[in-house]
Amino acid sequence: MQILPFKDHKPRPAVKDKKSLMKKGVFLCLLLPVIYILPAIAQIRTLTGKVTSDSSGAPLPGVTVRIKGSTYRIATGEDGTFSIPVGGAQELIFSMVGYANKQLKADAATTWLDVRLKPDQSRLSEVVVVGYGQQTQRYTTEAVSVLKSDVVENVPAITPQQLLQGQAAGVQMTNSSGLLGAASLLRIRGAASITAGGQPLFVVDGVPLSDGQYSTLYSGGAALNPLLELNPDDFESITILKDAAAAAIYGSRGSNGVVLIKTKRGATNSKTKVQLDYYTGWAKPTNTLKVLNADEYRNYYNDYITKVTGRPTVDFPAKGFDWADAVKRTGKTNNYSLSASGGNDKTKFYLGGSYLNQESFVIGNDLKKLTGRLNLEHSMSKRVHFGVNFTTAYTDMDRILVEGDLVAPFTAGYLNTPFTPAYTDDGQFADPANNALAVVGLNRNKYYTRRNTGNAYATINITDHLWIKSDWGIDQLQTEERYRRSEKITPGGAGGRTIWQDNKWLTTNSLNYEKNFTQDHHIELLAAHSFETARYDDIKVSGSGFTSDKLLNVGSASVPVTTSATGKEWALESYIFRANYRYKDKYMAEASFRRDGSSRFGSNKKYGDFWAVSAGWVISQEQFMRSADFINYLKLTASYGVTGNDRIGYYDYLALYTAGTDANYAGQPGLRPTQASNPNLGWESTGQLNIGLAANALDNRLQLNIDYYRKNSKDVLLYVAFPSTTGFGYGTKNSGKMQNNGVDLQITGVVVKNKDFEWTTSLNAGYLKNIVTQLPSDTRDEEGRNFIIGSYNGQRAIQGYSLNSFYLIRYKGINAETGDPEWYTKDGKATTAPTSNDQVIAGSALPKFTGGFNNTFRYKHFDLGINFYFSTGNKVMLSEFQYLDNPTYGLNVSKDLLNYWKQPGDKAFAPSATSASWSSQNNIAQVSTAQLFDGSYLRLKTLTLGYNLPAALLSNTHVLNSARVYVLGQNLWTATKKGFRGADPEVSGYGSNGQVAGESFFSLPQPKTITIGVNLVF
C-alpha cells in the first residue's frame, strides 16, 4: 500500500548521525515510563485519622488498618491514630478483636478519617461471670465454658443439669434414670474425690446451693438435685469453671468444678418487656427391654423351664396380661412461664414465674413445680447501689418407692410373667402386696420441697476506682416425705412422715479496686471475707394400725412405731484475695488466694490454703502476626492452682457417743462410743495444671479452644475400715491419691452467612484418663492391689486403675458342643466352675471421650437446631439381666433365652435345659461380664424447628413485639454398640454417687419427647 504525502508535504533530509538517533531513542524509552508514573505519584497521599470506641469514645490502639484487596496493613498507635499512604479513591477496612469490622471509602480528596468501632457481640467481647466478679472473655486467663440463655430456654428437662449435656467440653453429664426429679451424675474434668462429695458446687447469683441427702425411702433421686427448684427460663447464663485458676477462688469446694448460674436482669432506660413462654409435650421411653409375650412364655415354659426346674407342664390361659404395657403410659408435660423486665435510669427489674406439670411415662411418677423470681437493682446515687435477687419454689412429687424394687412399676412390668394375674374376676387387685398396679394405686408416696434462695447486696463507690460491696445470702430448704401403706398391702396399714430442714446463711464483704494506668497498664484487685453457716434438722414419725385407708395422717395410727429428731450445723470462714494485671492488652496475669476454715475438720487441720496463678498472651497483637491476616485472634494461657473439698459428715473428726437401749448398763442409762476421734482429719486437695490455646480465624467465623489439663488429688477423704484393734468399724481419714489427665476441644464455625441464610456448627469433645494412684492397704485383692469396694456388682476403686473399675469373672459363652456355659479363669482358660479368684479388671464405667455436635440453621424466619451427644469408651453394668437371664426364679425372662442350646453345633445364647449349671450357682445369671456391656452411644439429644413471625405481621397487632412457634424433639434416636441389650446406655442408678457409676437395676430409660411451644414478647 502506498502512502501519499499531504499536498504541502516536503521530504525530510537524510539522517546524517545514527549514533545520535540511538541516544535519543534510549532517552525516550526511559522517559515514557516516568511520564506515565508521574500522574500516579501525584495522586499518592498520606491518609491519617483516629479510631475510637463508639461506646466510650476512648482511643483504640492496635486496630488493624488495611486497604481492601491489598495485603498492606498498619496498626493504630497508642492514641488510636494511624497514617497510611493511599492513592486515589480507596476502601479501607478497620478490624480489632472485640469490635465489629468497619469498611470505609475514602475518595481522592479525603486526607483525614474519624473512625468509630462498635463493640462486637461475639464471644470474645462477652462479659462472663467468674468467682466474685466478671471478666471479658478476651482477657480471661481461666478455663471456662459459657452457655447463654438461648441454649437453656424452653428445653424440657427432667433435671436442669441436662442442659449442660453435650454443650461444654470436659463436662460429663449422666442421667441417673428417667425418674422425674432424680439427681444426675455430673463430672467436670473427671472425678476428684472418691467417697467424699463429688458434685460440682452450684452457685446461683453468688449463693452456693446446699446439696445434701434429704430422703430415706427413695432411690434414684435420693440425693437432692440442687437445681430442681430453679426455672431454666430465668437463666441468663451458665458458666462452668473448669481449671484451678477459675475454681480456686471457691477454695474448699472447687475440686469438682464450679457451676455459676446468673439469672436475668432488667435493662436501664428500657421499656417494660413482657414475655410469655408455653410448651406442651408427650413422652415415651427411648427403648424397652425385650421380654417374652404370652405365646412365647407359654411355649418356653413347657419346653424349657420345666426341664430346667423339674416342674410339671402348665395349661396356661389362652390370653395373657401385658404387664410392660400396663405400667407405662404416654407422659405429658405442660409448662407456663411469664416474665416482665425493664427499668429507668435508676432502677432495673426482672420478675418471673413459672408452673410445670409433668407426668412420667411410667405410672406413679409425677412432678408439679411452682417458681417465682424477683431481681431488682437500684441506684440511690452515683456512689450507692443496691439490689435483691430472690427466688421461691414449691414442688409436689409422686415418687416411685425404691425404683429398683421388685414391685416398682418398671421393674414389675418386665419381671411379671404374662400369666401373673393383675386383677381378680371381680375387678379387684390380685395379690396386692406383690402387685405393682396395687402398690401405685393404693399406696401414697409423696415428696415435697419448699425452697427460698436469694441475696441482697449493696455497693458503695468510694472513688471512681475503689468500691466496697456487702452481700447477704440465704438458701432455706425444707423437704418433706410422706408415705401411707394401704391395709390391703400392709395388714393394718402403715404410714410415716419425715421433715428435713437445711437453712443456710452467708455474708460476703469485699473491697474492690480497678484502674487503668496510662494506656498500657490495667489492674484489678479484690479482697474479701466470707462467712457461711447452716443448720440441719430432721424429725421422723411413723406408725401402724389404721382403722381406714381414708385416714392419711400418721397421727391416726394406733401404734406409734418410731419417733426421732436430730440436729446438726456447720460453718465455713474464708479470706479471699485476687489480683489481675494486663499490659497493652497483650499480656495478662492473675493470682488468687483463699484461706478456708471448716468446722468439719479436726483442730490440727481446720484451715486450708488454696491458690492459683495464671498468665495469658494475646499473640495476635504482636507485630510479627500482622502478616497472618487470616488469624483474627490467638491467645495462649497457662495456669496452676490448688482447690479443696470438705464434703464429708458434720462431725467425722469428733469422738462420738450414743445413748439408748443398747448403751444401757446394768439396767441404768449410759453412753457408748460410736466414733473414734481424729484431730488430724483435714482438707482433701487437688492441684491442677492447665495449658490452653484460643484462636479466631477467617474474620472470626472460625473459633477454636483447646486445653490440656492434669489434676492430682491428694489427702483424699475416704470412708474406710479401721483396724479391729481400735474397736471401731469404719471412719473417715485422709488416705489416697488420684490423677485425671485430659484434653478439652471446642470448635465453632459459621459455615454460611448471608442475608437470608446462616449455618453455624460446633463440636466439643473431652478426653479423660483417670487413675487411682494410692489407696490405704486395709483391703487388698488377690493380686495384692489396694482397693475400696464400690458396689456388690463388682465395681471398685483399685490402686493403679480407674476409680470406677469393674472387677468381674469373664463370661465366655455357651460351649457349642456341650451346651454348658463357660467362663474364663484368671489366666484365660475356659471353665464351667469359676470362683471369685477368677475375677479380673474388666473395664471402667468412666468414658474416655464425651462431647456434643451441634448445628443451627437459620433461613429467613425459620430456624433449625440439631444437637447430638456422644459418650464412648466406658462399660455399664445392667444387673437386671441377673433376673431376666435366669428362668429358675419363676419370673419373665429375656427374649434372648429363646435361643437355647438343643444339639451339638448350636451357637446358642442360653445353656442346654439339662445343663448342670442351672442346678448350681454357675449359671449365666451370676454376676459376671455377661451383664457388662459397652456403654458407648450417640444420641440425637434435641431437634428443634422454629418459625419467627414477620415483624410486618406483628406490627398490625400493636401488642406483640416478637413471636416464635416451635416443635422440639428430645432423644429421638440413639445408636449403641452391637450387642447392647439394655433399654438405655445412659445409666447411673445410684444418682450422684460417683463411686458407683454406670450401674442399673431396671433404671428408667430416658424419655423420648415431642414438644410444641410458643414464645411471645409484648
Side-chain angles (χ1 to χ4, degrees), residues 742-756:
V743 177
D744 294 344
L745 173 67
Q746 184 108 19
I747 303 174
T748 301
V750 181
V751 183
V752 179
K753 186 175 184 179
N754 55 42
K755 180 181 178 181
D756 294 330

Side-chain angles (χ1 to χ4, degrees), residues 225-336:
N225 178 355
L227 305 185
L228 177 63
E229 291 81 16
L230 297 179
N231 174 22
D233 286 342
D234 290 335
F235 294 178
E236 180 178 303
S237 66
I238 302 176
T239 304
I240 304 165
L241 308 184
K242 298 193 289 188
D243 71 341
I249 198 71
Y250 285 100
S252 61
R253 294 165 293 179
S255 286
N256 292 289
V258 182
V259 178
L260 304 180
I261 297 174
K262 181 181 179 182
T263 57
K264 293 178 179 178
R265 305 290 193 269
T268 304
N269 295 321
S270 173
K271 180 182 176 182
T272 298
K273 180 181 76 172
V274 177
Q275 182 165 336
L276 173 63
D277 300 320
Y278 168 74
Y279 61 77
T280 184
W282 304 267
K284 64 179 182 179
T286 50
N287 201 354
T288 57
L289 297 168
K290 307 301 187 291
V291 294
L292 303 186
N293 60 32
D295 291 336
E296 291 169 332
Y297 187 83
R298 179 188 296 108
N299 296 329
Y300 178 77
Y301 185 93
N302 289 324
D303 291 345
Y304 188 78
I305 295 181
T306 54
K307 297 181 179 66
V308 169
T309 62
R311 299 169 187 160
T313 59
V314 176
D315 186 14
F316 290 101
K319 185 179 180 181
F321 185 78
D322 191 340
W323 278 95
D325 184 68
V327 300
K328 295 196 294 288
R329 62 187 176 182
T330 299
K332 296 179 182 179
T333 300
N334 283 284
N335 185 79
Y336 308 82

Side-chain angles (χ1 to χ4, degrees), residues 17 143 160 250 252 270 273 296 305 314 390 486 503 675 711 720 852 855 899 907:
D17 190 351
Y250 285 100
S252 61
S270 173
K273 180 181 76 172
E296 291 169 332
I305 295 181
V314 176
F390 179 76
S486 169
N503 295 323
Q675 180 174 286
K711 296 171 63 174
V720 294
N855 289 272
N899 178 20
K907 294 182 179 179

Side-chain angles (χ1 to χ4, degrees), residues 638-803:
S639 69
Y640 184 82
V642 177
T643 53
N645 187 9
D646 70 341
R647 296 189 199 179
I648 55 174
Y650 287 76
Y651 309 120
D652 284 7
Y653 69 96
L654 283 175
L656 297 182
Y657 296 80
T658 187
T661 57
D662 61 345
N664 294 346
Y665 180 75
Q668 299 297 316
L671 296 173
R672 68 177 180 88
T674 57
Q675 180 174 286
S677 172
N678 185 2
N680 291 317
L681 183 65
W683 296 92
E684 176 180 292
S685 64
T686 299
Q688 183 176 179
L689 169 71
N690 188 91
I691 299 174
L693 184 70
N696 281 22
L698 306 177
D699 290 331
N700 293 312
R701 291 179 63 169
L702 179 64
Q703 301 171 357
L704 168 69
N705 286 82
I706 185 168
D707 290 90
Y708 166 79
Y709 62 88
R710 171 171 288 187
K711 296 171 63 174
N712 288 291
S713 299
K714 66 176 184 177
D715 297 326
V716 172
L717 292 163
L718 297 175
Y719 187 71
V720 294
F722 278 5
S724 59
T725 54
T726 66
F728 298 95
Y730 288 83
T732 303
K733 64 179 181 179
N734 299 99
S735 182
K737 295 180 181 180
M738 187 163 57
Q739 184 179 99
N740 290 279
N741 296 317
V743 177
D744 294 344
L745 173 67
Q746 184 108 19
I747 303 174
T748 301
V750 181
V751 183
V752 179
K753 186 175 184 179
N754 55 42
K755 180 181 178 181
D756 294 330
F757 181 69
E758 180 179 337
W759 173 18
T760 302
T761 185
S762 67
L763 169 69
N764 68 79
Y767 166 76
L768 172 68
K769 181 179 180 180
N770 169 275
I771 182 172
V772 179
T773 55
Q774 180 180 310
L775 288 174
S777 57
D778 303 307
T779 53
R780 297 191 177 189
D781 63 17
E782 297 79 5
E783 303 294 326
R785 297 170 298 212
N786 301 335
F787 75 93
I788 297 176
I789 284 288
S791 75
Y792 294 111
N793 294 318
Q795 188 171 156
R796 54 178 61 177
I798 304 173
Q799 184 169 310
Y801 295 86
S802 163
L803 167 63

